[in-house]
Amino acid sequence: MMKPSYIRVVIDRAIHRQLDYSVPETLAERVDVGSRVRVPFRDKSALATVVATLEQSNVGGIRPIEAIVGEGPVLSEPLLELAKWMSAYYCCPIETVMRSLLPQVIRKAEIGWKKQLFLQPARKIDNEEFENLRKRAPRQAELLEAIVRLNSPIRAAELLRKTSLDNQTLRALAKRGLVELREEAVERDPHAGEQFVATSKLELNAEQAAALKQIADALASPENPRPILVHGVTGSGKTEIYLQAIRAALDRGRSAIVLVPEISLTPQTVERFKGRFAEARDAVAVLHSHLSGGERHDEWHKIHSGRARIVIGARSAVFAPLKNLALIIVDEEHETTYKQEEAPRYHARDVAVVRAKIEKCTVVLGSATPSLESYHNATTGKYELATLTQRVDERQMPLMRIVDLRQVRRKEKTMSILSEKLLQAIADRLEKREQTILFLNRRGFSTSLLCSNCGEARDCPNCSVALTFHRHAARLSCHLCGHTAAVPKKCPACGQDALIYAGFGTEKVESTVAQIFPKAIVRRMDADSMTRKDAYRETLRNFRVGKIDILVGTQMIAKGLHFPNVTLVGIINADLALHLPDFRAGERTFQLLTQVAGRAGRGERTGEVFVQTYTPFSPSVQFARQHDFAGYFQQELEFRERCDFPPFKHAILITVRSAHEGRAKLSAETLVRRLKEALGSEFILGDATPAPLQKLQGQFRFHILLRGGAIMRLSRLVRETLDKLPFPEDVAVAVDVDPYQLL
Ligand SMILES: [Zn+2]
Ligand SMILES: [Zn+2]
């Protein structure tokens, strides 16, 4: 390597450009592309990432870097290339991308290794010396004896605990030159103390074996392999295919990343991977949002140093610094949690596909309900397709029964939460000692508090939504900003004692079911009931061993859980997602119904699913009922094509917001005018319109939706237009490429 005289860096601040610095002779040996450095910036210093080394720089008044941070380069060339692509594609400054690419503990290098004191005898000690010590300092002698008896160095803390002696005694021994103390780095292992039982591979059925072969062939091909979409019904054994594919990658001496939605990164999942690769304790690293800074530091280094060769993690694990990457698996690829909702607003599945292209490795996308985009890519030949139509062990798909709530309402006059049919089914399961899951994607007790006299609803003062009543907490709360308020006795608007609770959430479902079935053990699983640490793990464990008869919950229980004794799933209201102002509403409903239904009948007995809905004939409900993905895909695709939505066009959503409604509106309108000038007729540009969620956290919001085929060009034109436009200080603009949140 040539010693660089100059470097180009991206500093950790939003200045939207790269800067050159010179490298003092003494530091030149240790600096390279991907290194972290401290540089003078204005009259302070700043941390920065080296993006290029230069032999010369034509920038005037160039200043030298101050220091190198950390041990070596933290970013590989392929990851830097990925960062540049993300910056261009997601219309986002590269320094913001760097923030996602490198965990804070690595960027700032503030947390280091955990150091512990180890000790061993300093030299050989003869009997006479021992005798002398025993007379003068018996406790020191006792400790020394314990140390001498050990053959290997031991942690000081551990020895002191075992011998019940104190630190002072140890220090005195060290001072006499009889023991040697040494500081050593030890790893903070989030799974320390847990035992992982080694498992061996399971027998694959014909469909699984064919899918595995497709992946193995891709791994063997030296050229750029195409992404592979594994479309397998719920319970078709996709995870076993992943495990064997990873083994194939390891056998080639290479490494693999597995992305799973954060919510699916359960102890059960981690155990499955750690168990399969238990032959090497360090082989599997786990990255998720609950790691402490120290644990994250250690896991990151375990990966970066090459000791861990499998990384399993949520969204940001797509940036895991593995070398010699062979395989990236994106499980549940349709999941919207892969999309980051703050800048950089990237989608981990799409980033995985691009990283795979850069590193020439295989990417596998798996789902029971693939996104329209991925399935379209598979049908047009851009991706390969592997299909699993059978559940493992020839288990049956669950029976889907649609309950038309319009008829129920006509017959029963009042709207009850659970239809008669569903209640009967629950009673039947209780009798047979089988388990039930009830799903409702809305938490709280009542979803609004209305005045029956004047019609006023209690809205959040910061957001344009009604406050939800939580009975357990006895408060009203806003699910968007967290604002809470006391429950008024009388209507604050008209003073009448006429308040009524309307709508219902999981809390009310739980209490209703408990009332109707007083002997049943009912538990609720949602963001409100799972605040205590370990509550999630504990509830799942109790459900698994049969200590819970009925589990009520939000999407927290919709995904990936596997309980053989669950034979009934009730979807309380299938319409919740369907009526959102979002072109993906139908797709989400289909996915949700299929995924939730997939929780039923994972054991010996066939499962049964009740779907309660006011729109029984909507395509999402009907196709989900028939387990007909292809039929659903076809009709949804036609709709998307007709309306110029993805996958036929890319979309960019710009949100302009301000605490001042007028300024937000004016800025949005000005931006639309400028965009109109900048964009050619190949792009579709919408008007500035109030967002469906017009007020959020005290900010008024306006949307501009753009669509086009050439996304890189569109992204660049948007960036250039924004850079030229001075916005008032209290107006914020957010650009979301391939948006998933249109509210
Ligand atoms: Zn009133
Ligand atoms: Zn609010």
Side-chain angles (χ1 to χ4, degrees), residues 448-463:
S448 55
L449 186 55
L450 298 163
C451 174
S452 61
N453 181 49
C454 71
E456 274 279 308
R458 302 299 301 147
D459 283 339
C460 174
N462 311 318
C463 313

Side-chain angles (χ1 to χ4, degrees), residues 48 153 165 172 213 221 236 248 303 366 412 530 533 557 593 637 675:
L165 290 164
K213 183 171 184 305
S221 94
S236 57
I303 300 163
E412 298 177 5
M530 292 295 125
K533 211 183 159 216
I557 59 170
L593 292 181
L637 199 71
L675 285 168

Side-chain angles (χ1 to χ4, degrees), residues 371-475:
S371 64
L372 227 61
E373 286 87 344
S374 295
Y375 201 77
H376 185 245
N377 280 334
T379 54
T380 55
K382 215 172 145 191
Y383 294 176
E384 281 181 45
L385 182 65
T387 310
L388 311 170
T389 59
Q390 303 293 317
R391 286 186 149 188
V392 291
D393 299 338
E394 288 157 0
R395 281 180 200 131
Q396 296 299 305
M397 293 301 286
L399 271 169
M400 304 276 277
R401 303 191 190 281
I402 309 292
V403 179
D404 185 347
L405 288 176
R406 298 171 308 178
Q407 283 182 12
V408 171
R409 176 183 273 186
R410 245 174 270 139
K411 231 171 43 201
E412 298 177 5
K413 295 291 187 293
T414 57
M415 173 52 209
S416 53
I417 295 173
L418 303 151
S419 59
E420 200 49 49
K421 285 177 188 160
L422 181 51
L423 284 176
Q424 273 168 18
I426 297 173
D428 174 62
R429 293 322 187 281
L430 287 171
E431 198 152 290
K432 289 192 209 148
R433 305 225 33 91
E434 293 171 9
Q435 289 169 298
T436 299
I437 285 179
L438 296 176
F439 173 83
L440 179 66
N441 212 0
R442 198 162 58 185
R443 59 201 172 85
F445 194 80
S446 303
T447 46
S448 55
L449 186 55
L450 298 163
C451 174
S452 61
N453 181 49
C454 71
E456 274 279 308
R458 302 299 301 147
D459 283 339
C460 174
N462 311 318
C463 313
S464 38
V465 293
L467 294 171
T468 298
F469 171 58
H470 290 255
R471 195 171 68 171
H472 182 72
R475 304 270 302 170

Side-chain angles (χ1 to χ4, degrees), residues 397-649:
M397 293 301 286
L399 271 169
M400 304 276 277
R401 303 191 190 281
I402 309 292
V403 179
D404 185 347
L405 288 176
R406 298 171 308 178
Q407 283 182 12
V408 171
R409 176 183 273 186
R410 245 174 270 139
K411 231 171 43 201
E412 298 177 5
K413 295 291 187 293
T414 57
M415 173 52 209
S416 53
I417 295 173
L418 303 151
S419 59
E420 200 49 49
K421 285 177 188 160
L422 181 51
L423 284 176
Q424 273 168 18
I426 297 173
D428 174 62
R429 293 322 187 281
L430 287 171
E431 198 152 290
K432 289 192 209 148
R433 305 225 33 91
E434 293 171 9
Q435 289 169 298
T436 299
I437 285 179
L438 296 176
F439 173 83
L440 179 66
N441 212 0
R442 198 162 58 185
R443 59 201 172 85
F445 194 80
S446 303
T447 46
S448 55
L449 186 55
L450 298 163
C451 174
S452 61
N453 181 49
C454 71
E456 274 279 308
R458 302 299 301 147
D459 283 339
C460 174
N462 311 318
C463 313
S464 38
V465 293
L467 294 171
T468 298
F469 171 58
H470 290 255
R471 195 171 68 171
H472 182 72
R475 304 270 302 170
L476 298 171
S477 94
C478 171
H479 288 179
L480 295 174
C481 73
H483 171 86
T484 72
V487 184
K489 292 228 157 48
K490 290 175 179 166
C491 171
C494 71
Q496 290 286 308
D497 187 3
L499 294 175
I500 49 167
Y501 292 96
F504 57 86
T506 43
E507 202 181 353
K508 188 156 185 180
V509 175
E510 180 195 16
S511 82
T512 306
V513 175
Q515 244 166 42
I516 300 174
F517 302 106
K519 283 189 187 141
I521 298 163
V522 186
R523 288 289 176 273
R524 174 166 52 97
M525 202 151 161
D526 57 25
D528 299 315
S529 67
M530 292 295 125
T531 48
R532 201 168 47 80
K533 211 183 159 216
D534 292 338
Y536 180 71
R537 204 185 270 225
E538 198 179 299
T539 306
L540 286 185
R541 191 166 46 227
N542 287 338
F543 193 52
R544 184 182 316 282
V545 298
K547 284 188 190 162
I548 297 169
D549 300 310
I550 302 167
L551 188 63
V552 179
T554 54
Q555 69 254 44
M556 221 177 243
I557 59 170
K559 316 283 163 65
L561 302 178
H562 180 105
F563 300 110
N565 199 35
V566 173
T567 55
L568 175 65
V569 168
I571 295 166
I572 307 296
N573 185 342
D575 306 332
L576 282 185
L578 207 51
H579 304 300
L580 292 174
D582 183 335
F583 67 89
R584 287 197 181 88
E587 180 179 11
R588 279 190 194 154
T589 302
F590 177 85
Q591 287 168 348
L592 201 62
L593 292 181
T594 307
Q595 295 284 346
V596 178
R599 298 314 113 221
R602 314 270 296 199
E604 307 287 299
R605 292 164 296 262
T606 303
E608 196 177 21
V609 180
F610 283 79
V611 181
Q612 302 194 138
T613 171
Y614 283 101
T615 53
F617 298 108
S618 80
S620 305
V621 173
Q622 282 302 324
F623 285 116
R625 174 195 192 175
Q626 308 293 345
H627 308 290
D628 182 2
F629 179 83
Y632 158 75
F633 171 77
Q634 205 44 52
Q635 71 85 32
E636 182 70 22
L637 199 71
E638 281 161 21
F639 154 71
R640 298 283 183 90
E641 184 161 30
R642 223 169 32 243
C643 305
D644 281 321
F645 279 124
F648 297 95
K649 290 273 194 295

Side-chain angles (χ1 to χ4, degrees), residues 51-108:
V51 293
T53 55
L54 315 165
E55 277 179 44
Q56 49 194 4
S57 167
N58 45 19
V59 181
I62 204 157
R63 294 200 273 174
I65 62 168
E66 293 168 353
I68 293 169
V69 179
E71 283 143 35
V74 291
L75 269 189
S76 63
E77 300 245 9
L79 280 174
L80 255 179
E81 197 181 329
L82 187 66
K84 288 175 191 161
W85 175 86
M86 284 175 71
S87 169
Y89 186 93
Y90 290 110
C91 198
C92 170
I94 193 158
E95 51 265 33
T96 312
V97 175
M98 293 289 189
R99 266 212 309 270
S100 278
L101 226 72
L102 285 174
Q104 188 175 331
V105 286
I106 303 303
R107 259 188 299 121
K108 300 225 159 122

Side-chain angles (χ1 to χ4, degrees), residues 335-350:
E335 269 294 320
T336 51
T337 53
Y338 283 128
K339 171 80 174 175
Q340 176 154 295
E341 290 300 341
E342 68 236 40
R345 294 179 173 77
Y346 70 93
H347 195 296
R349 174 200 58 217
D350 301 339

